[in-house]
Amino acid sequence: MYKNVGRPDFLSVRKGVIAANSVICRLSPVKDRAFICLAAVNKINGKIYIGISSKTLLVRTRQHFAHTRAGSNHVFHRALRKYGKLSFDFTVIDRYPTKERAVAGEIDIIETLRPEYNMTKGGEGSFGHRHSDTTKLKMSILAKKREEKGKTAV
């Protein structure tokens, strides 16, 4: 597993070039456990996804691919399906000792870079994402169906 040392200079960061001047070094899988901030850059159009994880970059990347195969409708997962996983470069752009600092760092990076594939302002997964009225209605109908199934199954 690899990590980039140091935070990229955000003033020199352009779309498609996240941490070109970062140094890569090998980490111990157990002793250097921390939260990472990762970037996925589409090599075709330069669009970016930013995320945080307590997992390694490899594990988190595989989770994104699994969600994509499972039919997730997130903007980033739709892009992975459309362009293919080989069209993306995944890299660690920062590391944090605590979840709180990772969340704050992700929000800062998203505010700075304005990545196209992120659906929220960052921090807590889908925190800040608002469902449309159509989606709320569909969720309500499905919940009522689950409720009815539960009553008849008893």
Side-chain angles (χ1 to χ4, degrees):
M1 111 180 103
Y2 294 93
K3 124 182 197 325
N4 290 345
V5 178
R7 202 167 175 182
D9 178 11
F10 288 124
L11 299 176
S12 67
V13 172
R14 290 190 203 105
K15 304 248 181 217
V17 181
I18 292 292
N21 61 349
S22 295
V23 179
I24 297 177
C25 67
R26 191 170 277 289
L27 290 177
S28 160
V30 176
K31 126 179 147 174
D32 292 322
R33 186 83 172 155
F35 289 85
I36 61 170
C37 183
L38 63 104
V41 180
N42 186 323
K43 294 185 275 188
I44 295 171
N45 61 21
K47 292 183 178 181
I48 302 168
Y49 168 79
I50 302 293
I52 57 172
S53 179
S54 62
K55 310 285 184 207
T56 65
L57 181 63
L58 178 63
V59 169
R60 187 64 187 114
T61 301
R62 286 181 177 169
Q63 288 174 336
H64 278 300
F65 296 154
H67 292 306
T68 300
R69 284 190 306 274
S72 168
N73 203 30
H74 286 262
V75 174
F76 178 55
H77 297 150
R78 288 195 316 256
L80 280 171
R81 273 193 298 278
K82 179 177 180 178
Y83 295 102
K85 62 185 177 184
L86 296 178
S87 296
F88 287 84
D89 281 330
F90 290 82
T91 185
V92 173
I93 58 174
D94 214 343
R95 289 174 52 85
Y96 302 94
T98 66
K99 182 178 180 182
E100 292 76 23
R101 289 184 61 188
V103 167
E106 181 189 23
I107 291 170
D108 179 46
I109 292 168
I110 287 174
E111 284 177 3
T112 304
L113 295 180
R114 304 264 186 229
E116 297 83 356
Y117 291 135
N118 285 74
M119 296 171 62
T120 67
K121 295 178 181 178
E124 292 292 334
S126 60
F127 175 75
H129 176 71
R130 296 182 95 38
H131 292 289
S132 68
D133 290 338
T134 306
T135 302
K136 289 177 184 177
L137 179 62
K138 288 178 184 177
M139 291 171 24
S140 173
I141 291 168
L142 288 172
K144 289 174 185 171
K145 285 182 181 177
R146 278 193 305 270
E147 230 175 74
E148 289 173 12
K149 280 185 182 179
K151 289 179 183 176
T152 58
V154 176

